Amino acid sequence: MTIRDLLRLALIDPLEARILMAHALHCSRVQLVIRENDALSAEQVNEISGLLLRRMQGEPIAYLTGEREFYGLSFAVTPDVLIPRPETELLVELAIERLPQAGRAVDLGTGSGAVAVSLAHTRRDAQITATDISNEALAVARRNAEHHRVKIQYLRSDWFEALEGMFDLIVSNPPYIAASDVHLSQGDLRFEPPSALTDHANGMTALSAIIEGAPVHLKPGGWLLLEHGYDQATAVRTQLTRAGWSNVQSWKDLAGIERISGGRHQVALSEK
Ligand code: GLN
């Protein structure tokens, strides 16, 4: 059996089959083409068939290969963490622009650490803290920080619980999908940790808790930036405005959907 034979037999998307094969054979997809007619060992055929079968049953590619690229960096992922999404790169960009020189930022509910590590990787001057309620997630996040050689203070924390001191910026991509949302039972989401996706209620619980708790941890003028669902921008802006935040606004992702909303904490009128 050769690579070409196995590719012909695979009942999944050919690109995905190639990604899984390259992963199993520890080679690049270009090398797969070059080695197309090489005979595979029985072990290799077994391993690849196992991966193809798991993919057919819906397991996300990122969990099968154990990695996903985000903000130009490779991140280790396990089923203990949400798979980083391209739209979340906007959260990183907005944070990079708004964090003052040598500023202090915290990423609440860091999961794989994708946001915190990307921020720390670009802004070497900054002091980055990242929290998660899950020890398993923190272990993955630590691995990613070590791999990319960035220094991050990791804390096990239920949102703000374990935070100390004041920050210049707070970012979060919290669980915001409503329990009733059909997407939870579709595609990759079926395999991701439910606690990273949904609040088991209307989707606003974590977003509201963060908006309520943020002021006592933010320096005056500090930004709060929150990722949210495709239909939550108005609700998040309304809540920020009612709570007295300034510069309240939303930003659209590449699909044109308002995906991030945020505001500044108590900016003096003269600075606006
Ligand atoms: N953006 C993810 C999705 O819709 C959800 C991430 C989250 O709940 N924070 O698939």
Side-chain angles (χ1 to χ4, degrees), residues 211-232:
I211 293 170
E212 271 168 37
V216 296
H217 299 278
L218 265 185
K219 296 180 197 167
W223 281 91
L224 170 64
L225 297 169
L226 294 168
E227 179 174 321
H228 50 67
Y230 67 96
D231 57 355
Q232 291 168 324

Side-chain angles (χ1 to χ4, degrees), residues 4-215:
R4 186 209 291 264
D5 297 333
L6 251 191
L7 270 174
R8 243 198 319 257
L9 291 175
L11 294 170
I12 61 168
D13 176 80
L15 173 63
E16 293 190 349
R18 287 174 189 278
I19 291 170
L20 294 175
M21 263 189 211
H23 171 72
L25 299 173
H26 309 287
C27 69
S28 70
R29 274 181 276 143
V30 174
Q31 285 171 312
L32 272 191
V33 179
I34 298 165
R35 294 168 50 182
E36 209 171 43
N37 296 313
D38 289 8
L40 296 168
S41 70
E43 272 152 38
Q44 287 171 327
V45 172
N46 257 341
E47 189 187 347
I48 295 167
S49 313
L51 287 172
L52 295 174
L53 197 68
R54 285 168 68 189
R55 181 61 193 141
M56 275 172 66
Q57 289 163 345
E59 274 189 63
I61 288 277
Y63 290 157
L64 294 174
T65 61
E67 65 127 17
R68 172 56 42 95
E69 195 193 292
F70 177 85
Y71 211 73
L73 302 171
S74 165
F75 285 88
V77 292
T78 72
D80 290 314
V81 299
L82 189 84
I83 300 165
R85 308 282 203 272
E87 55 267 30
T88 307
E89 294 177 345
L90 176 60
L91 188 60
V92 176
E93 277 163 22
L94 294 168
I96 289 170
E97 288 165 9
R98 282 163 184 76
L99 184 61
Q101 194 63 22
R104 227 185 141 207
V106 59
D107 174 24
L108 299 173
T110 197
S112 65
V115 170
V117 171
S118 302
L119 185 55
H121 196 261
T122 309
R123 289 293 305 272
R124 300 277 169 177
D125 57 291
Q127 288 178 62
I128 313 288
T129 299
T131 73
D132 210 284
I133 199 165
S134 154
N135 282 321
E136 291 77 19
L138 287 171
V140 176
R142 281 201 179 93
R143 256 173 75 190
N144 283 318
E146 274 165 32
H147 180 73
H148 293 294
R149 298 174 194 282
V150 291
K151 218 178 126 235
I152 290 174
Q153 177 195 29
Y154 285 109
L155 296 174
R156 186 181 173 277
S157 180
D158 184 359
W159 302 131
F160 300 97
E161 195 183 51
L163 283 193
E164 279 174 12
M166 304 294 279
F167 293 86
D168 297 286
L169 177 89
I170 298 176
V171 286
S172 185
N173 173 18
Y176 54 67
I177 302 178
S180 58
D181 193 320
V182 291
H183 292 102
L184 288 172
S185 55
Q186 296 171 2
D188 286 2
L189 280 72
R190 292 169 296 167
F191 294 85
E192 293 181 288
S195 61
L197 292 168
T198 178
D199 61 353
H200 306 285
N202 68 354
M204 286 296 295
T205 317
L207 290 165
S208 298
I210 295 171
I211 293 170
E212 271 168 37

